[in-house]
Amino acid sequence: MHITKFFKITDMNCGSCVLHIEKDVSKMKGVHHIAVNFASGKAEVMYDDALLTPEDIVKQIKDTGYHAYIADNSAGEGGHDGHGGHDMGEHGGDSGSEHDHMQMESRKDVKRRFYKVVFGMLASIFILVLAFAIDFRYEHYVMLVVTFFILIYTGKEFFIQGIPPFIFKGRPNMSTLVAVGVSAAFIYSTYNTIFLMGGAEYFMDSAIITTFVALGHYLEAKAKGSASEAIRKLIGLQAKFAHVVTSGGHFKDVPIASVQI
């Protein structure tokens, strides 16, 4: 039987992530269709339940390099179109609690990114002050240490998401560009500071670029959370019951999902 399930995917940061996930999952025996939505962070997968389980698909997405879990069974079970009916009364509570869980995780993610951006901004301002307003003997060493903490805290996800896929699978993404750029500037500046005792240094550039890209990711995560909540409210406005005329001319209320032609 063909079944359609939805999967929540995190850590996607550009269109290439979508292509990589779709390519790897579509190669699995039993998968008939996959569509990944970058904006909502969800994947819709139609597969043969005799050959695959949802856990197999989650494992494949994780092997591709992203975190995933089963979102819900909104499409239900049915024939070859994968869009058979399902009982809203039976699954509505689960979907609601799951959505609340997703909202809570989204808020945690936004808060975590906010703290990283604030730290990056404050540390970058400190580096700017050292570069243009304060002049003392060890200022470059101080800038080196502060920039290092910006990279490992504010820019940590760029290295985790960008370097392993590029090295082990030959799949660069947007995070790869940021990670390679800021680390090259940092390593070059560190070499000049420690071994040449001077020369060009780009600690300020590494710090500011990392912080600004992290700010962009924070704003993106915040916008996604707001959009998800707005969609949730719209869905809540739809009719849940239909007034059906029986053979005796009477009306009865039945769930929308139970209405038949």
Side-chain angles (χ1 to χ4, degrees):
M1 181 185 295
H2 293 177
I3 293 180
T4 298
K5 281 191 178 292
F6 288 82
F7 299 83
K8 182 67 178 177
I9 303 174
T10 59
D11 302 335
M12 292 191 297
N13 51 49
C14 60
S16 64
C17 301
V18 174
L19 296 177
H20 294 157
I21 294 171
E22 290 182 342
K23 181 179 180 181
D24 288 352
V25 174
S26 63
K27 289 180 179 179
M28 299 179 69
K29 186 177 181 180
V31 172
H32 300 281
H33 170 76
I34 175 173
V36 179
N37 189 311
F38 174 72
S40 64
K42 279 191 174 184
E44 179 184 6
V45 183
M46 183 193 299
Y47 64 95
D48 190 336
D49 64 343
L51 300 175
L52 286 173
T53 65
E55 289 72 21
D56 293 331
I57 297 174
V58 169
K59 183 179 182 301
Q60 179 58 64
I61 295 175
K62 290 182 177 180
D63 289 343
T64 303
Y66 305 90
H67 293 90
Y69 55 89
I70 303 170
D72 56 39
N73 193 22
S74 298
E77 299 180 8
H80 292 282
D81 60 355
H83 293 284
H86 65 287
D87 189 343
M88 290 294 290
E90 179 182 351
H91 298 289
D94 294 338
S95 297
S97 61
E98 181 194 353
H99 179 84
D100 293 338
H101 173 71
M102 291 170 59
Q103 283 295 103
M104 183 176 66
E105 291 298 321
S106 176
R107 284 192 285 268
K108 285 183 179 179
D109 182 56
V110 170
K111 183 181 290 187
R112 176 178 58 84
R113 292 179 184 277
F114 175 75
Y115 291 147
K116 288 187 175 185
V117 170
V118 170
F119 173 80
M121 285 184 171
L122 294 177
S124 296
I125 291 173
F126 178 70
I127 292 175
L128 284 172
V129 172
L130 284 178
F132 296 107
I134 299 178
D135 186 15
F136 69 101
R137 182 177 179 182
Y138 299 105
E139 67 176 84
H140 295 299
Y141 292 95
V142 175
M143 292 168 65
L144 187 159
V145 173
V146 175
T147 303
F148 175 75
F149 281 107
I150 292 177
L151 296 185
I152 65 172
Y153 180 62
T154 302
K156 178 182 177 180
E157 69 174 290
F158 303 137
F159 294 93
I160 294 177
Q161 297 176 6
I163 299 301
F166 177 57
I167 293 178
F168 298 112
K169 297 185 178 181
R171 292 179 170 179
N173 52 46
M174 188 182 73
S175 293
T176 306
L177 174 65
V178 178
V180 171
V182 298
S183 59
F186 178 78
I187 293 172
Y188 177 76
S189 302
T190 301
Y191 176 81
N192 284 345
T193 299
I194 296 178
F195 296 102
L196 301 184
M197 304 300 177
E201 50 86 11
Y202 302 99
F203 294 122
M204 180 176 61
D205 305 77
S206 296
I208 292 177
I209 290 173
T210 301
T211 302
F212 268 103
V213 178
L215 174 62
H217 283 198
Y218 160 72
L219 295 175
E220 180 184 33
K222 189 174 181 181
K224 283 183 178 180
S226 300
S228 177
E229 184 59 28
I231 294 173
R232 166 75 170 176
K233 291 179 180 178
L234 285 174
I235 293 175
L237 297 176
Q238 71 179 356
K240 295 179 175 59
F241 294 91
H243 305 297
V244 179
V245 182
T246 64
S247 57
H250 301 288
F251 287 89
K252 69 174 182 179
D253 290 343
V254 299
I256 290 293
S258 299
V259 175
Q260 298 180 3
I261 298 176

